[in-house]
Amino acid sequence: MELTTNLEALTSANHEFSFSLYKEIAKTETGNIFYSPFSIHVIMFVASTGADSKTFDEIVATMHLNKTTHSMVAYRKLLEDLTSKDDNLNLATGIFVDIAFNVKDSFVENSMNYLKSSMEKLSLKKNPEQQRQYLNNWVLNKTYNKIKDLFPKGSINEDTALVLVNALHFKSDWAHKFDYVRDDSFYATPNNIIIVKMMYLKNDLQYYHDSILKFTALELPYKNNDFKMIILLPDAKDGLEILENNLSIINLHEISNNMTQKYVNVKLPRFKLEQSVQLEKTLSNLGCPTMFTSEANFSNIVEDGELYVSKVSHKAYIDVDENGTEAAAVTGFECCDGCGGCARSFTDFVVDHPFMFFILTRCNIIIFVGRMTKID
């Protein structure tokens, strides 16, 4: 019973964390947005298992968990459920420690046993450039060559003692492939029309319209129905900002429950997107500033010496076409030590203006979140 309760708490935490991240990232990102809240949450959880006192409390609260719901057993079950179904979602977590650094066995064992993590000792301080290339190759391999150069030149240096990385790769065909593609209009703004490759589909789909918040939600299932994309489309061509301002009262789980099946005429643009974000300021603003300072307490990771987080790097990629979706994301924590066609009537769903989208599991765990304001 306790495991079920904690899994429900993790699902709720994933939803709250996904939306709080979105609101914080959207404060500085003016155009398209794409990230994996799940990847970031996993790496935060890994860090939390090595934290203590105020640092631990802040990280756990930022993840929308508490001391009761912060359960390694529940997290292991969640990861097993997500990755055991098929090969659509591949997850890899790596802990990379400088060879001179004494990491507690308990931290390594917990990470490997509960969080599907691997562990390697690297000469980070003596050969930072060589190890940076090694880490980038590790990421490239784990994301099927989709995420390149997560760690830019100079990001691994002689102060780097510990690097935590989570890589995520998703690929799946649609349950219903789009019928055809042709050029059509997309309103980046009400007065700025661009021509895009628009995909066309008519099928029975889960559909919901919110007449109060003035948006429509559509569910596009992936093959085998283990994953789905939910698109939130404002009624107005310039309605995205209003929708974003109402995110605190939007719940995807409730939207899913309120959907009804309709025969829908879908028009959705092809899109491809790659985005990098540095998350130190974002995560500090969301409630865990201490881990980025000399006051950080990671005493459950290290035998001796001070340790703090110097960088949290995240990079995500998505490619959506008429056949399906491929997406990948990576989150890296760098830590430093203290030294430094049918006759029936149909409903139209025409995605010809800025929208939000989510890729979720069948049980509504949010894997990816995106906003498209312009299509290249």
Side-chain angles (χ1 to χ4, degrees):
M1 185 68 192
E2 185 184 342
L3 179 60
T4 306
T5 306
N6 283 339
L7 279 169
E8 286 171 0
L10 277 179
T11 304
S12 174
N14 163 267
H15 190 281
E16 296 300 318
F17 182 69
S18 301
F19 276 59
S20 63
L21 263 178
Y22 183 93
K23 282 183 271 193
E24 195 60 39
I25 292 170
K27 288 178 183 176
T28 53
E29 292 289 341
T30 54
N32 296 335
I33 289 174
F34 186 62
Y35 64 96
S36 171
F38 186 76
S39 171
I40 299 165
H41 203 266
V42 169
I43 214 69
M44 291 271 288
F45 196 91
V46 173
S48 73
T49 64
D52 203 358
S53 63
K54 185 182 179 185
T55 307
F56 173 84
D57 293 342
E58 287 182 356
I59 295 173
V60 169
T62 302
M63 290 192 294
H64 293 268
L65 294 169
N66 57 45
K67 281 180 178 171
T68 306
T69 55
H70 182 275
S71 160
M72 284 193 283
V73 173
Y75 222 97
R76 176 168 63 186
K77 181 74 170 73
L78 175 69
L79 295 177
E80 284 171 354
D81 288 350
L82 277 176
T83 53
S84 63
K85 291 185 175 67
D86 44 45
D87 290 333
N88 294 130
L89 186 70
N90 290 288
L91 184 76
T93 304
I95 300 170
F96 302 92
V97 190
D98 187 74
I99 50 172
F101 210 66
N102 294 318
V103 176
K104 287 189 174 178
D105 291 341
S106 56
F107 174 73
V108 177
E109 285 164 13
N110 286 337
S111 299
M112 293 170 79
N113 293 338
Y114 293 98
L115 303 172
K116 290 178 170 285
S117 180
S118 62
M119 156 82 187
E120 290 182 53
K121 288 264 190 177
L122 300 178
S123 184
L124 293 167
K125 291 173 177 291
K126 285 185 179 174
N127 301 304
E129 178 55 24
Q130 184 184 339
Q131 303 309 337
R132 180 185 75 85
Q133 291 173 14
Y134 177 84
L135 290 167
N136 279 338
N137 285 333
W138 186 91
V139 167
L140 195 64
N141 179 45
K142 298 297 184 184
T143 58
Y144 296 81
N145 295 325
K146 292 303 170 192
I147 302 287
K148 298 179 174 71
D149 299 322
L150 173 69
F151 298 103
K153 207 167 180 65
S155 60
I156 306 293
N157 57 48
E158 57 274 7
D159 290 331
T160 306
L162 173 72
V163 180
L164 306 177
V165 185
N166 174 266
L168 194 62
H169 179 267
F170 171 80
K171 187 172 186 177
S172 181
D173 290 343
W174 298 116
H176 316 293
K177 289 191 178 175
F178 286 77
D179 300 323
Y180 59 93
V181 180
R182 72 175 187 216
D183 289 347
D184 213 327
S185 300
F186 184 88
Y187 294 80
T189 70
N191 301 315
N192 180 14
I193 300 172
I194 52 177
I195 302 302
V196 300
K197 295 291 181 188
M198 193 72 81
M199 311 183 295
Y200 290 75
L201 168 71
K202 285 185 184 177
N203 218 297
D204 290 316
L205 296 166
Q206 292 295 308
Y207 177 97
Y208 168 79
H209 182 258
D210 193 309
S211 55
I212 298 169
L213 299 179
K214 296 186 167 42
F215 72 90
T216 303
L218 185 77
E219 182 180 298
L220 292 171
Y222 289 102
K223 204 172 172 181
N224 303 329
N225 289 311
D226 286 332
F227 297 91
K228 59 192 176 183
M229 178 183 284
I230 291 180
I231 298 170
L232 302 187
L233 181 69
D235 292 353
K237 294 224 175 347
D238 59 353
L240 185 64
E241 189 178 349
I242 295 169
L243 178 64
E244 290 176 329
N245 289 340
N246 284 309
L247 276 184
S248 56
I249 51 173
I250 290 174
N251 185 299
L252 293 180
H253 190 70
E254 286 176 11
I255 288 172
S256 289
N257 289 340
N258 290 327
M259 283 179 163
T260 54
Q261 186 169 288
K262 287 185 181 286
Y263 187 64
V264 188
N265 177 34
V266 183
K267 296 182 187 179
L268 175 68
R270 275 184 191 163
F271 61 92
K272 188 186 284 191
L273 184 59
E274 182 176 84
Q275 192 160 41
S276 301
V277 280
Q278 286 301 128
L279 291 169
E280 304 87 22
K281 191 163 188 291
T282 301
L283 294 172
S284 288
N285 290 346
L286 288 176
C288 54
T290 306
M291 68 177 182
F292 299 106
T293 71
S294 58
E295 301 299 310
N297 183 335
F298 286 105
S299 55
N300 289 322
I301 298 181
V302 299
E303 296 286 359
D304 46 45
E306 295 174 3
L307 189 70
Y308 67 94
V309 177
S310 56
K311 286 189 187 69
V312 182
S313 308
H314 182 71
K315 197 168 190 177
Y317 163 96
I318 189 166
D319 186 0
V320 175
D321 65 16
E322 56 273 25
N323 297 311
T325 299
E326 182 169 20
V330 178
T331 307
F333 259 59
E334 291 171 47
C335 298
C336 293
D337 60 23
C339 310
C342 183
R344 324 185 244 166
S345 63
F346 53 77
T347 302
D348 281 323
F349 186 81
V350 182
V351 186
D352 66 353
H353 55 278
F355 62 97
M356 290 181 68
F357 66 94
F358 305 83
I359 295 176
L360 310 92
T361 66
R362 184 173 49 204
C363 301
N364 294 317
I365 292 285
I366 301 170
I367 308 296
F368 295 99
V369 177
R371 170 179 83 184
M372 294 302 295
T373 58
K374 60 182 189 294
I375 314 285
D376 294 327

